[in-house]
């Protein structure tokens, strides 16, 4: 393509900070501001440094925040800086020291306050508490004149606080932490400029904290996304629904963890994760009973009880025997039962009494809060936190600029108007539509569509055309400016990598469109669903990094830490959802709440479905058989109406088909006619190249031998791998779709033709290898075994092959 990508520039600058510093120092005017302010060059270097720290830091937020506070102390010429975490215990908010007395040269280990040493304040005491309470920053020139000041800490440490700056770090409406800078050096107080510097650089601290706060919440969310896959077989009646015990509000009773406090002899705590059903506490049946009914059970002689089956003899080698038992449910703020606490054998040997019941009730309330962290459930519900994280920063770079929007929506040229807001929606629709490519001339309705003759910019127009073709723009009142900006932003969201780039994103969208229209699958879906499916298809690989999930996991990238499974797919999903949170990008802005929720749900199912790893595990296997069953059933039906009714009456069936459509779209490159575009082999090469690049990374960065598919030294085996891929992965998908709707047969035909081509290349290669093998044998027999042949022409020094393959 000739031009250097933005990414390449960024990478270069990051790798060469010295050069970057000098360059910016030369090019950008020095900031005039106060002594504490940075020049743009230093500012840039600081950004880069902090962001790198965030990405590389595996120990949690504190080390990165520590680095930021050190910089801050230096910038502000503050004697020291501290960070206080904000939290709630038993429903009461409080602040706790986390990083204390940070100076530009202090050591992290010395500043970090461990849980055992932390100083905790209620919000009523001290300026920090006041800031957390009011959620407003303060500049206090003289603490002794401030009514909120408490000298409690000074008395403890012997330090004398004179003046300070303090500001809350927010996520949404919640205060995560308070940062404080204490005692200006060489001046009697912090200035107005200091306040600005303070708030500016704290935005970094805020990003770091939010990022880690979000990671902390991730696991429950990933469980949630998995839910719809788990539910499908139940909804389709293939798996028995859960019939075991349920809590009074209808949740399944499953014990994930047993925490065993042993209070006899020496005190110790044993944690048993995923306890077996035959664990003695569970065998009795008591915890399940309590969870199911929410009752408090107090039993005098438990082993004699007929309803429960307590072990009569000693439980363990210490000879400990159960005598009396008190069991109560652990309840969270919303009164949901989240656990069961069971007390065995009162210490004095007497039975538990009413008074015990009362204290244990209080105790379990405490357990409900702290031990089981049930209040995190409430936090989990606040997943909108995700929106705020670093992605927001990223978004500002990728969002289409007004000029870019105008490169598609040509208001200047066509209407002689400069500002889009001055145009009427009707005018905009007209000028946009007349500029969009004709679907016929570019084959938009064809499975054989090829993006090769079309520029990346023109593909944005093609994408817009598809939305008009399915008639959703007018129907769902999508402002065309928003639609254009969204489409352009999606395009920019794709990085210029070898295969998973905008061209791939577009192709998947185009195939989704063709499956719906030409393949006539649209008849099972509403216009709204089709709209969501097309949009999701365009977004499905957005911000792909060219390395697959395995690499992300192996290299413990920040992304891997953020999401449990289907790492990249979850990232594509989050990214797509974040775009929609910006109203100027929200193409679904005129939908009602229920419609919008439908769209988001479809995005989730569709994008997660493109994780090919799911393809190989049991979830996909279930999806496969479910799809096959639907196709079987429809095949037997007399009329089309009957089949449509059979599918549309059941939302789960629609989802199964949609997930399968996503797979068919994602793999569609392999079905493109070999003869129509000899580039078909090039597409395979692009994919292969991206794999090989990852293989190189694995070899060099992770120092691991890549699998053959990703090993460029084994590139001659590509045809064989392709044949295998077609046979084991692709054939099923396209065969079943052709059986489902004969209109989709061109995809299967294309696939089968390509198989023939690849097979002949593979055979050719095999024949060649055979000759070489025989020759080698002969040579070896001729006592020439010294030279190994396998490494002859290989080598990974041809890394740059990537550039020549791009267009
Ligand atoms: Zn893809």
């Amino acid at each position: 393509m000739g031009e250097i990508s933005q990414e390449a520039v960024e990478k270069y600058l990051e790798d060469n900070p010295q050069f970057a510093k000098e360059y910016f120092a030369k090019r950008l005017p020095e900031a005039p501001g106060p002594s504490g302010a940075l020049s743009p060059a230093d500012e840039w270097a600081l950004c880069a440094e902090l962001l790198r720290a965030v990405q590389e830091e595996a120990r949690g937020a504190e080390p990165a925040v520590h680095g930021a506070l050190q910089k801050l102390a230096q910038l502000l010429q503050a004697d020291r800086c501290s960070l206080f975490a904000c939290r709630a215990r038993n429903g009461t908010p409080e602040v706790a020291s986390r990083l204390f007395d940070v100076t530009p040269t202090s050591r992290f280990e010395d500043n970090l306050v461990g849980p055992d040493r932390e100083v905790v304040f209620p919000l009523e005491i001290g300026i920090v508490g006041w800031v957390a309470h009011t959620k407003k920053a303060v500049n206090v020139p003289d603490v002794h004149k401030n009514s909120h000041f408490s000298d409690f800490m000074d008395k403890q440490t012997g330090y004398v606080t004179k003046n300070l700056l303090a500001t809350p770090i927010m996520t949404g409406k919640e205060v995560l932490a308070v940062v404080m800078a204490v005692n200006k050096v060489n001046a009697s107080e912090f200035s107005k400029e200091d306040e600005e510097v303070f708030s500016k650089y704290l935005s970094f601290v805020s990003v770091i904290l939010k990022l880690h706060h979000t990671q902390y919440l991730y696991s429950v969310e990933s469980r949630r996304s998995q839910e719809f896959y788990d539910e499908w077989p139940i909804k389709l009646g293939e798996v028995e629904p859960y019939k075991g015990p349920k809590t009074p509000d209808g949740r399944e009773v499953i014990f994930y963890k047993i925490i065993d406090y042993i209070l006899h002899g020496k005190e110790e705590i044993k944690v048993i994760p995923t306890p077996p059903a035959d664990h003695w506490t569970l065998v009795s049946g008591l915890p399940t009973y309590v969870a199911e009914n929410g009752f408090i059970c107090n039993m005098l002689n438990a082993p004699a009880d007929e309803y429960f089956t307590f072990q009569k003899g000693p439980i363990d080698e210490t000879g400990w025997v159960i005598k009396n038992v008190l069991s109560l449910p652990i309840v969270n703020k919303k009164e949901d039962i989240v656990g069961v606490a069971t007390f065995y054998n009162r210490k004095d040997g007497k039975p538990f009494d009413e008074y015990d019941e009362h204290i244990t009730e209080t105790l379990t309330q405490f357990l409900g809060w702290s031990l089981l962290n049930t209040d995190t459930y409430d936090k989990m519900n606040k997943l909108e936190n995700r929106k705020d994280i670093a992605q927001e920063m990223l978004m500002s770079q990728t969002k289409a600029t007004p000029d870019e929007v105008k490169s598609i929506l040509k208001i200047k040229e066509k209407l002689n108007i400069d500002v889009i807001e001055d145009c009427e929606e009707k005018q905009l629709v007209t000028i946009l539509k007349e500029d969009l490519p004709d679907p016929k001339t570019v084959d938009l309705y064809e499975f054989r569509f090829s993006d090769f003759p079309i520029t990346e910019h023109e593909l944005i127009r093609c994408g817009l055309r598809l939305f008009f073709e399915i008639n959703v723009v007018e129907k769902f009142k999508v402002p065309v400016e928003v639609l254009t900006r969204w489409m352009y932003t999606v395009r920019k969201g794709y990085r210029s990598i070898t295969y998973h780039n905008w061209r791939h994103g577009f192709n998947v969208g185009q195939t989704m469109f063709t499956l719906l229209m030409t393949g006539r699958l649209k008849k099972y879906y509403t216009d709204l669903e089709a709209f969501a499916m097309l949009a999701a298809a365009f977004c499905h690989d957005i911000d792909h990094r060219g390395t697959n999930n395995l690499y992300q996991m192996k290299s413990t990238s920040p992304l891997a830490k953020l999401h449990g499974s289907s790492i990249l797919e979850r990232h594509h999903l989050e990214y797509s959802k974040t775009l929609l949170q910006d109203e100027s990008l929200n193409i679904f802005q005129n939908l009602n709440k229920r419609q919008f929720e439908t769209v988001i749900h479809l995005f989730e199912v569709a994008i997660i479905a493109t994780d090919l790893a799911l393809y190989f595990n049991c979830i996909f296997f279930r999806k496969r058989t479910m799809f096959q069953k639907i196709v079987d059933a429809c095949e037997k039906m007399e009329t089309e109406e009957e089949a449509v009714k059979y599918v549309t009456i059941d939302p789960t069936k629609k989802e199964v088909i949609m997930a399968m459509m996503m797979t068919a779209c994602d793999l569609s490159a392999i079905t493109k006619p070999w003869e129509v575009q000899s580039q078909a082999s090039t597409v395979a090469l692009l994919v292969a190249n991206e794999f090989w690049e990852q293989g190189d990374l694995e070899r060099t960065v992770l120092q691991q031998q890549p699998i053959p598919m990703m090993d460029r030294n084994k590139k001659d085996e590509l045809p064989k791998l392709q044949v295998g891929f077609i046979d084991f992965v692709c054939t099923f998908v396209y065969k079943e779709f052709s059986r489902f709707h004969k209109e989709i047969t061109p995809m299967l035909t294309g696939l089968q033709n390509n198989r023939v081509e690849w097979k002949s290349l593979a055979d050719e290669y095999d024949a060649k290898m055979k000759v070489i093998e025989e020759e080698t044998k002969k040579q070896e027999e001729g006592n020439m075994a010294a030279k190994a042949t396998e490494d002859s022409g290989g080598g990974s020094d041809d890394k740059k092959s990537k550039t020549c393959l791009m267009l």
Side-chain angles (χ1 to χ4, degrees):
M1 289 200 305
E3 60 183 314
I4 307 169
S5 72
Q6 188 185 337
E7 234 181 344
V9 176
E10 271 172 20
K11 183 162 184 337
Y12 180 81
L13 290 176
E14 271 174 35
D15 293 344
N16 300 280
Q18 194 51 36
F19 168 80
K21 202 172 167 178
E22 283 162 16
Y23 177 81
F24 285 108
K26 216 160 53 193
R27 288 302 169 111
L28 299 170
E30 209 65 26
S35 56
L38 285 177
S39 70
D42 287 338
E43 210 172 291
W44 183 89
L46 180 67
C47 293
E49 195 184 314
L50 287 174
L51 283 175
R52 195 169 314 125
V54 181
Q55 286 187 351
E56 285 167 5
E57 195 46 74
R59 289 173 293 169
E62 285 90 355
V65 172
H66 183 258
L69 291 189
Q70 285 192 312
K71 276 273 172 324
L72 199 60
Q74 193 185 345
L75 286 174
L76 291 171
Q77 297 180 314
D79 189 45
R80 45 192 67 185
C81 287
S82 297
L83 175 99
F84 296 83
C86 299
R87 63 186 180 204
R89 261 196 315 158
N90 298 318
T92 312
E94 63 186 21
V95 288
S97 57
R98 185 59 56 82
L99 288 168
F100 202 63
D101 283 354
V102 179
T103 72
T105 52
S106 61
R107 284 175 19 163
F108 170 68
E109 293 72 21
D110 299 334
N111 296 144
L112 182 70
V113 184
D116 49 329
R117 292 197 298 131
E118 67 183 17
V119 182
V120 181
F121 295 95
L123 298 197
E124 298 83 59
I125 298 177
I127 294 178
V128 171
W130 175 250
V131 169
H133 174 68
T134 58
K135 301 175 184 175
K136 286 205 175 77
V138 291
N139 182 357
V140 184
D142 181 355
V143 292
H144 295 289
K145 289 185 186 149
N146 187 298
S147 60
H148 300 292
F149 179 70
S150 155
D151 60 358
F152 173 73
M153 281 298 250
D154 280 3
K155 277 194 179 139
Q156 299 242 312
T157 58
Y159 185 77
V160 181
T161 305
K162 293 174 205 149
N163 47 69
L164 60 83
L165 278 177
T167 194
I169 306 276
M170 311 285 296
T171 176
K173 284 179 188 152
E174 200 185 337
V175 185
L176 279 181
V178 173
V179 175
M180 184 168 78
V182 183
N183 292 0
K184 176 88 180 173
V185 180
N186 300 332
S188 63
E189 61 187 76
F190 289 100
S191 65
K192 262 254 151 332
E193 287 79 11
D194 289 335
E195 284 175 38
E196 274 161 33
V197 172
F198 196 49
S199 82
K200 193 166 171 190
Y201 293 101
L202 281 181
S203 55
F204 287 111
V205 175
S206 138
V207 168
I208 299 167
L209 287 177
K210 281 178 193 169
L211 195 69
H212 286 270
H213 188 62
T214 310
Q215 284 173 8
Y216 159 75
L217 302 178
Y218 88 89
S219 60
V220 163
E221 190 241 10
S222 48
R223 275 179 57 81
R224 266 195 209 161
S225 303
Q226 209 62 56
E227 270 165 19
F228 44 76
Y229 289 116
D230 294 340
E231 280 172 3
W232 278 349
I234 297 169
K235 285 187 182 161
L236 287 172
E238 284 169 5
V239 172
E240 288 279 294
Y242 176 82
K243 287 214 181 82
K246 288 189 172 174
T247 59
D249 57 323
R251 286 168 307 122
E252 298 175 11
V253 174
I254 297 166
F255 294 104
Y256 291 103
K257 203 168 18 174
I258 293 178
I259 300 166
D260 197 357
Y261 284 88
I262 302 163
L263 296 172
H264 58 99
K266 61 177 192 330
E267 297 193 358
E268 59 174 310
I269 298 172
K270 252 195 310 194
V271 178
I272 305 151
T274 53
D278 61 355
H279 188 275
W280 64 269
T281 58
L282 297 180
V283 165
S284 71
L286 180 65
T288 310
Y289 177 82
V290 171
E292 240 182 325
N293 300 290
F295 299 148
I296 295 177
C297 291
N298 187 350
M299 283 182 276
L300 298 186
N301 184 0
D305 194 278
E306 283 172 9
Y307 190 78
F308 300 107
T309 42
F310 284 100
Q311 200 162 313
K312 293 193 167 64
I315 298 294
D316 53 26
E317 60 278 11
T318 66
W320 185 74
V321 194
I322 302 172
K323 283 177 228 150
N324 39 53
V325 179
L326 174 62
S327 186
L328 355 74
I330 301 173
V331 170
N332 73 1
K333 250 203 312 202
K334 281 187 271 164
E335 310 262 300
D336 302 322
I337 296 172
V338 292
V340 173
T342 311
F343 301 84
Y344 300 91
N345 302 3
R346 215 172 97 149
K347 262 196 169 171
D348 59 5
K350 289 179 191 155
F352 292 105
D353 54 26
E354 221 179 312
Y355 180 68
D356 291 327
E357 285 179 22
H358 183 72
I359 4 181
T360 46
E361 227 182 316
T362 323
L363 185 65
T364 52
Q365 267 170 25
F366 168 73
L367 287 172
W369 276 100
S370 63
L371 185 72
L372 291 174
N373 269 325
T374 47
D375 60 335
T376 50
Y377 282 87
D378 301 327
K379 286 220 177 103
M380 303 297 174
N381 293 332
K382 291 182 192 154
L383 275 172
E384 59 264 34
N385 282 325
R386 305 205 60 117
K387 300 172 196 164
D388 312 333
I389 62 166
Q391 260 189 28
E392 225 169 58
M393 288 177 76
L394 190 112
M395 213 62 72
S396 61
Q397 286 170 29
T398 47
K399 187 172 167 181
T401 64
D403 281 346
E404 285 170 336
V405 173
K406 284 186 218 160
S407 73
I408 305 273
L409 210 50
K410 295 180 174 153
I411 51 168
K412 182 76 189 151
E413 294 92 324
K414 301 211 173 219
L415 303 169
N416 200 23
I417 300 177
D418 289 313
V419 189
I420 289 184
E421 285 74 41
D422 295 344
C423 306
E424 274 178 40
E425 183 66 16
K426 250 189 175 161
Q427 287 178 306
L428 288 176
V429 175
T430 315
I431 63 157
L432 178 63
K433 268 174 121 174
E434 61 189 29
D435 237 18
L436 297 180
D438 171 24
K440 290 268 151 30
T441 51
V442 283
D443 280 350
L444 286 178
Y445 277 88
E446 306 296 334
F447 286 111
R448 61 161 189 268
F449 166 83
S450 165
D451 64 285
F452 275 78
I454 309 173
T455 65
E456 295 190 354
H457 191 260
E458 191 63 12
L459 286 177
I460 300 173
R461 280 187 227 281
C462 291
L464 291 167
R465 169 58 77 194
L466 298 183
F467 286 103
F468 282 103
E469 291 299 300
I470 60 167
N471 285 320
V472 292
V473 184
E474 286 95 342
K475 178 160 183 178
F476 298 106
K477 300 189 182 63
V478 189
V480 290
E481 181 201 353
V482 173
L483 184 64
T484 307
R485 189 178 297 113
W486 175 83
M487 196 79 238
Y488 208 122
T489 305
V490 169
R491 181 260 167 276
K492 285 179 80 185
Y494 281 90
R495 303 183 176 208
S496 350
I497 49 174
T498 315
Y499 177 69
H500 289 104
N501 50 38
W502 162 233
R503 287 185 178 273
H504 170 67
F506 178 84
N507 274 303
V508 170
Q510 188 271 337
T511 312
M512 176 54 79
F513 171 81
T514 312
L515 281 174
L516 287 168
M517 307 300 278
T518 314
R520 295 180 56 243
L521 292 173
K522 169 71 178 68
K523 63 185 177 193
Y524 307 112
Y525 299 96
T526 64
D527 286 343
L528 181 69
E529 288 162 339
F531 185 14
M533 286 157 74
L534 182 57
F538 279 126
C539 293
H540 86 288
D541 267 336
I542 199 161
D543 201 36
H544 199 292
R545 284 98 202 276
T547 45
N548 68 15
N549 283 336
L550 209 60
Y551 178 77
Q552 301 279 339
M553 235 131 53
K554 281 197 261 181
S555 68
T556 59
S557 74
L559 276 183
K561 284 183 247 153
L562 199 58
H563 306 283
S565 60
S566 307
I567 300 161
L568 282 166
E569 289 71 23
R570 280 180 210 293
H571 176 65
H572 307 317
L573 174 64
E574 284 311 318
Y575 197 110
S576 318
K577 290 207 276 193
T578 312
L579 291 183
L580 297 177
Q581 278 148 21
D582 181 334
E583 277 306 279
S584 69
L585 291 170
N586 184 7
I587 52 175
F588 304 110
Q589 58 180 253
N590 286 322
L591 303 184
N592 64 36
K593 193 165 171 271
R594 198 187 45 77
Q595 289 175 314
F596 189 77
E597 281 165 4
T598 306
V599 167
I600 294 298
H601 176 68
L602 292 178
F603 261 66
E604 283 170 356
V605 178
I607 295 181
I608 300 300
T610 61
D611 182 0
L612 261 194
L614 294 179
Y615 201 107
F616 299 108
N617 72 17
C618 57
I619 291 166
F620 183 78
F621 194 75
R622 291 202 307 236
K623 185 169 100 180
R624 253 170 97 127
T625 37
M626 284 185 274
F627 181 57
Q628 209 161 13
K629 276 187 189 160
I630 297 170
V631 177
D632 286 342
C634 288
E635 216 173 23
K636 290 192 196 90
M637 288 178 187
E638 301 276 306
T639 63
E640 196 181 305
E641 289 72 42
E642 207 183 332
V644 173
K645 200 173 161 205
Y646 165 77
V647 171
T648 50
I649 209 159
D650 181 354
T652 311
K653 291 200 185 84
K654 288 166 65 172
E655 277 179 23
V656 171
I657 298 170
M658 181 184 75
M660 216 57 192
M661 287 167 80
M662 286 300 293
T663 308
C665 293
D666 209 14
L667 302 176
S668 63
I670 207 159
T671 68
K672 298 287 177 180
W674 191 280
E675 60 281 355
V676 170
Q677 25 169 313
S678 59
Q679 296 102 324
S681 59
T682 317
V683 170
L685 268 181
L686 289 179
V687 183
N689 249 281
E690 203 170 284
F691 279 152
W692 291 333
E693 283 157 17
Q694 178 178 335
D696 294 342
L697 278 176
E698 285 179 11
R699 222 191 326 264
T700 54
V701 181
L702 303 176
Q703 289 171 356
Q704 285 172 3
Q705 179 60 34
I707 56 170
M709 188 169 75
M710 298 192 177
D711 191 345
R712 71 167 70 242
N713 298 330
K714 297 202 172 89
K715 66 161 82 171
D716 291 339
E717 290 175 29
L718 177 65
K720 206 164 112 193
L721 290 168
Q722 286 288 331
V723 173
F725 190 59
I726 290 173
D727 290 349
F728 293 111
V729 181
C730 310
T731 304
F732 170 85
V733 180
Y734 299 106
K735 225 184 195 145
E736 288 304 303
F737 266 115
S738 305
R739 197 155 67 89
F740 192 34
H741 277 207
K742 63 179 188 323
E743 295 84 353
I744 304 172
T745 314
M747 296 191 97
L748 180 63
T749 316
L751 180 78
Q752 287 166 337
N753 288 339
N754 292 338
R755 191 190 183 280
V756 174
E757 300 285 343
W758 285 118
K759 185 76 174 78
S760 80
L761 288 178
D763 290 347
E764 224 172 82
Y765 171 72
D766 278 350
K768 211 167 73 191
M769 285 308 284
K770 219 173 181 178
V771 173
I772 295 176
E773 235 169 70
E774 271 161 20
E775 273 172 11
T776 319
K777 233 185 201 165
K778 271 184 211 155
Q779 277 179 352
E780 274 172 357
E781 282 164 7
N783 223 352
M784 300 264 289
K787 230 180 170 198
T789 45
E790 53 188 302
D791 287 331
S792 57
S796 52
D797 50 351
D798 50 346
K799 257 186 179 172
K800 293 290 168 232
S801 61
K802 149 184 175 177
T803 353
C804 59
L805 273 164
M806 290 292 293
L807 284 179

